[in-house]
Amino acid sequence: MKKVMANQAPDPVGSYPHARQVGNLLFLSGVGPRKKGSKDIPGVSLDEGGNVTSYCIETQCRSVFDNVRYVLEAAGSSWDELVDVTVFLTNMSDDFTVYNKVYAE
């Protein structure tokens, strides 16, 4: 088993690598929308209390997909090699259509 860390992706929020490679399989976990060096979440506006006041799911999706791409490339792989994706959307009824459109690109 080999740990994979991508220089362009943000640091993981826990004590785990961006991905683990086992044989010819690559497992990514916990990839979110943050940019390297920032704790801000692209597309999210917060009030003084840290509560979400607005968000843009398209901005978040594009940022997550960029981070996934960075990890795949660091491991010598690519978006075209993806077999399965598990996604967590907090507002499925409002956000799935946009997520699916961006993913299809």
Side-chain angles (χ1 to χ4, degrees):
M1 182 168 35
K2 174 184 163 189
K3 293 179 182 181
V4 175
M5 295 297 288
N7 292 335
Q8 291 178 289
D11 294 335
V13 295
S15 56
Y16 51 85
H18 290 127
R20 291 185 189 270
Q21 186 172 356
V22 181
N24 63 350
L25 299 176
L26 185 65
F27 298 89
L28 285 70
S29 180
V31 179
R34 290 177 300 110
K35 298 293 184 194
K36 185 162 186 80
S38 175
K39 292 188 180 190
D40 294 336
I41 301 172
V44 173
S45 296
L46 304 174
D47 64 16
E48 298 84 27
N51 301 302
V52 175
T53 58
S54 66
Y55 70 95
C56 175
I57 193 64
E58 183 169 352
T59 300
Q60 287 182 316
C61 288
R62 291 190 186 284
S63 188
V64 170
F65 294 164
D66 285 345
N67 289 337
V68 167
R69 197 169 291 113
Y70 297 147
V71 176
L72 291 171
E73 290 171 358
S77 190
S78 69
W79 194 263
D80 296 341
E81 298 293 322
L82 283 174
V83 174
D84 187 39
V85 173
T86 301
V87 119
F88 179 73
L89 296 173
T90 58
N91 190 342
M92 187 73 159
S93 60
D94 289 345
D95 297 341
F96 180 76
T97 301
V98 175
Y99 159 80
N100 202 41
K101 176 189 78 110
V102 175
Y103 181 80
E105 291 174 10

